[in-house]
Amino acid sequence: MEDQHYPKSNDKSNSAARVQSMIENTEKNIREAEISMEFAGEEELENLQEKNQRRKQELYVKKKEMQDKAEAEERKNQF
């Protein structure tokens, strides 16, 4: 049996990369939804607009999280 190593759930070593990936995926989803809106019917358009609003809120939170991580890392490196 091969020994597999999985990152622990509280392992912070890849969290910045993971959050950045989430930001990029969310931005891509927003762009794709905006393209779909051009061809959507009224009900689908409303759903896409609501989804994009939630996505934009999520982006704000994730970007703030990245900023906080960067600031914490900067403070850590000052010592």
Side-chain angles (χ1 to χ4, degrees), residues 7-65:
K8 295 180 181 177
S9 62
N10 61 353
D11 181 11
K12 304 297 184 213
S13 63
N14 67 350
S15 63
R18 190 178 72 248
V19 173
Q20 183 61 40
S21 176
M22 292 170 67
I23 289 170
E24 291 169 3
N25 287 336
T26 302
E27 288 173 335
K28 179 181 175 237
N29 288 339
I30 289 171
R31 288 190 304 272
E32 289 176 352
E34 288 172 347
I35 292 168
S36 295
M37 285 182 205
E38 296 177 26
F39 307 101
E42 187 175 326
E43 186 175 330
E44 185 180 4
L45 178 62
E46 188 175 319
N47 288 335
L48 290 169
Q49 289 171 334
E50 289 172 1
K51 280 184 181 180
N52 268 2
Q53 183 61 35
R54 289 190 301 272
R55 288 175 176 140
K56 288 175 183 179
Q57 291 170 345
E58 177 185 343
L59 269 179
Y60 175 81
V61 170
K62 293 297 179 193
K63 287 181 177 183
K64 178 75 171 115
E65 181 179 346

